[in-house]
Amino acid sequence: MDKPAAPATADGWEPKIVAFFCNWCTYLAADLAGTSRMKYAPNTRVIRVMCSGRVDPQFVLEALAHGADGVLIGGCHPGDCHYQSGNYKALRRFRLLKRMLLAFGIEDERVRLEWISAAEADKLRDVVNEMVAQVKALGPARLGTPPEDWAVGLEEEADEEVEGVTV
Amino acid sequence: MPDKPKVAFYWCASCGGCEEAVVDLAEKILDVVAAVDIVFWPVALDFKKSDVEAMEDGSILASFVNGAIRTTEQEEMALLLRRKSKVLVAFGSCAHLGGIPALANLWDREAIFDTAYRTTASTVNPEGTLPQVSLAHNGDRVHLPGFYNTVRALDQVTEVDYYIPGCAPTPNIIAGAVETLLGGDLPPAGTVLTPDIALCEDCPRLDTKPQELTIERFRRPHEVIADEGTCLLAQGLLCMGPATRSGCGHLCINGNMPCTGCFGPTSKVRDQGAKYLSAIASMLGFEDEAAIDRALDGIPDPVGTFYRYGLAGSLLRRRKMTPVDA
Ligand code: SF4
Ligand code: SF4
Ligand code: FES
């Protein structure tokens, strides 16, 4: 049975997940999920790429810096990549990117790589539902340093005082 | 004397190396001094902020500002010089992209104060006094600059016209940039005043960098005696050449050390660290996860390695202060 889409949080915030799906597998799985009328969380914004190996780590950071709360990359199973080894390249980049993102304070659940074949619409649904629930539990990512964070801590000091200090 | 173009130099969060770099122009500095009127240069000349404030807006031809922006005072000076200058130049890695000071963006103000004023073994601070912007002292009020939570590059504070990259910029790059600016035929605003190609492209070791480079193991400089003629990346050393802009004259490579990326990325790259991460991860010669992870253990500090000079100017700019197990 389809799990219901995760409900919105009290203040109405819904996670935004940017999803890079390979044209030959995960994108088709999403298509199949659609034509099979599967219900799953509506939080992904899907971007079709020709291969998971096309997903430049800069895309992932760009998405996060522009307000995504999570990024999902979907590619062909090992051995099934249309271009032989694009998914292995994606895996190598992903493993290093994850280490770097942890050092940036970005929680593990926010960025995910999954192998989902064209036939695995149910896996796609489960992965998306699970990820949306996890990211929802984490709350908004707020990355890329919103300007209001630059001066954190200065406001209290300024209150006790002051002429001439702009915070 | 008839009006020579007015020029100012200023420093923000920096080490002083960029000031040295200007002095390192050696004889060439005499040409600069002959061609311009230096109206403000705190490290060398006794002009005050009030002298700058008294100048007409836009009356300085070019202000060269080095250092990142950490305090309210630095921001105030950057804005003042912006107002007084036709051209504002971000001078050196710290003004360009945040530089070494921006690595502090892996912590926040609270954590930095805690370490510097409370927990280090050499600190004696029984009352737990922390820096303040205003305090009473012998019946007077003393005002001090405020310390921002996040280090910023100059162009994250005000509009910047040109960039002179480098930690520190090399004499050739500086002299070339000054010539360009005084020549009057100005490049488009936002230009980085160096060649817009990757360091690898004109590296003397490029011939020994294989087209399809495969790396099995990353090594740190102290772990190998690097061959002096072979591409350093091909020897497993994390050379930032593929993601770094050329123009320094391959200083580190010629010293048989890998490039650490101080010139920042080329104009085609949005994020130097992610670009470099992508390049080296692609080169790893493994397909199974466990072997990949073992090889990646050879990069113990990815952020400090990939963003050594560019964290403030990167896409993420700073660490999010969440408790994750890195
Ligand atoms: S990786 Fe380093 S040593 Fe190799 S060609 Fe590029 S700049 Fe030169
Ligand atoms: S080789 Fe790299 S780190 Fe060294 S001076 Fe040149 S750009 Fe800077
Ligand atoms: S074609 Fe699907 S991952 Fe390469």
Side-chain angles (χ1 to χ4, degrees):
Chain A
M1 237 206 47
D2 293 349
K3 283 183 218 151
T9 48
D11 62 356
W13 172 76
E14 276 289 328
K16 284 197 247 354
I17 313 273
V18 172
F20 296 100
F21 287 165
C22 163
N23 178 57
W24 306 100
C25 52
T26 315
Y27 191 80
L28 296 177
D31 210 29
L32 178 61
T35 48
S36 328
R37 297 174 177 272
M38 280 184 186
K39 281 206 180 68
Y40 61 101
N43 305 60
T44 48
R45 314 283 194 274
V46 178
I47 297 173
R48 176 162 57 151
V49 289
M50 288 310 282
C51 173
S52 63
R54 178 64 186 92
V55 181
D56 186 322
Q58 291 184 95
F59 298 174
V60 178
L61 298 193
E62 191 99 44
L64 294 170
H66 283 94
D69 300 296
V71 175
L72 172 62
I73 305 169
C76 306
H77 282 269
D80 287 351
C81 172
H82 210 72
Y83 310 95
Q84 317 297 335
S85 58
N87 51 0
Y88 293 120
K89 193 191 247 190
L91 176 65
R92 291 195 291 267
R93 287 175 177 158
F94 178 75
R95 297 307 301 171
L96 183 50
L97 183 63
K98 287 297 281 194
R99 288 175 185 230
M100 191 177 92
L101 292 178
L102 283 177
F104 268 112
I106 297 171
E107 301 90 340
D108 195 42
E109 296 86 343
R110 289 196 193 273
V111 180
R112 188 158 165 174
L113 171 69
E114 288 289 342
W115 310 135
I116 302 173
S117 78
E120 293 176 314
D122 48 346
K123 180 171 181 189
L124 176 91
R125 172 200 59 201
D126 294 346
V127 165
V128 169
N129 279 342
E130 184 183 79
M131 186 167 173
V132 169
Q134 287 171 336
V135 172
K136 196 168 277 188
L138 289 172
R142 296 184 76 245
L143 297 164
T145 324
E148 59 270 24
D149 281 5
W150 288 332
V152 170
L154 281 179
E155 304 90 343
E156 305 100 75
E157 284 179 8
D159 282 343
E160 295 153 24
E161 216 292 318
V162 190
E163 330 82 55
V165 177
T166 17
V167 289
Chain B
M1 221 191 290
D3 285 1
K4 287 200 269 182
K6 295 186 174 64
V7 164
F9 295 96
Y10 193 68
W11 52 1
C12 293
S14 58
C15 67
C18 282
E19 309 282 341
E20 272 299 322
V22 177
V23 178
D24 272 352
L25 284 171
E27 314 83 68
K28 283 197 193 122
I29 199 169
L30 298 177
D31 302 341
V32 176
V33 170
V36 302
D37 196 4
I38 301 176
V39 294
F40 188 54
W41 191 9
V43 83
L45 303 170
D46 191 22
F47 294 110
K48 303 284 186 240
K49 181 185 171 199
S50 54
D51 297 316
V52 180
E53 281 166 335
M55 293 175 199
E56 235 172 84
D57 286 0
S59 61
I60 302 174
L61 170 70
S63 283
F64 297 83
V65 174
N66 71 69
I69 308 295
R70 162 62 91 185
T71 67
T72 51
E73 181 198 36
Q74 290 156 355
E75 178 173 34
E76 199 179 315
M77 289 304 295
L79 295 175
L80 174 65
L81 287 167
R82 169 70 277 180
R83 208 164 58 239
K84 301 295 173 186
S85 317
K86 284 199 186 65
V87 171
L88 182 67
V89 182
F91 187 99
S93 302
C94 304
H96 180 201
L97 295 164
I100 299 281
L103 285 173
N105 286 354
L106 289 172
W107 291 269
D108 61 1
R109 185 173 181 273
E110 202 188 317
I112 291 167
F113 279 8
D114 200 51
T115 303
Y117 300 102
R118 277 199 266 252
T119 57
T120 41
S122 57
T123 302
V124 181
N125 183 9
E127 278 154 40
T129 309
L130 294 178
Q132 294 161 47
V133 290
S134 164
L135 71 149
H137 181 72
N138 292 343
D140 290 322
R141 271 246 141 229
V142 182
H143 299 289
L144 295 165
F147 187 98
Y148 282 122
N149 197 47
T150 297
V151 173
R152 283 175 288 169
L154 188 60
D155 66 3
Q156 292 167 336
V157 172
T158 188
E159 215 172 294
V160 168
D161 299 295
Y162 302 112
Y163 302 85
I164 301 179
C167 182
T170 52
N172 283 347
I173 292 286
I174 302 172
V178 169
E179 211 171 288
T180 305
L181 294 176
L182 295 180
D185 189 12
L186 296 179
T191 302
V192 180
L193 301 174
T194 62
D196 196 13
I197 55 168
L199 189 73
C200 288
E201 287 179 51
D202 57 357
C203 177
R205 304 192 189 189
L206 182 61
D207 291 348
T208 57
K209 184 182 172 202
Q211 280 291 328
E212 291 286 323
L213 181 54
T214 309
I215 298 176
E216 307 263 297
R217 205 187 129 192
F218 297 112
R219 290 163 214 273
R220 301 171 71 197
H222 66 272
E223 294 174 317
V224 273
I225 296 176
D227 180 81
E228 293 192 13
T230 309
C231 166
L232 292 152
L233 198 50
Q235 301 181 60
L237 288 158
L238 290 168
C239 183
M240 290 276 291
T244 302
R245 186 183 275 264
S246 189
C248 66
H250 301 88
L251 284 181
C252 300
I253 314 300
N254 293 338
N256 208 24
M257 284 294 281
C259 169
T260 50
C262 82
F263 266 50
T266 64
S267 65
K268 290 170 218 80
V269 173
R270 179 69 189 82
D271 188 285
Q272 188 183 16
K275 168 80 185 168
Y276 187 63
L277 179 155
S278 178
I280 56 164
S282 311
M283 289 168 191
L284 257 191
F286 302 107
E287 295 189 340
D288 91 287
E289 207 163 305
I292 294 170
D293 283 344
R294 261 196 311 281
L296 293 179
D297 287 342
I299 310 174
D301 177 15
V303 178
T305 309
F306 306 157
Y307 296 97
R308 187 159 307 165
Y309 305 92
L311 190 52
S314 72
L315 278 166
L316 295 177
R317 294 185 178 191
R318 63 159 298 116
R319 177 189 157 101
K320 186 182 178 208
M321 298 309 284
T322 40
V324 294
D325 307 312

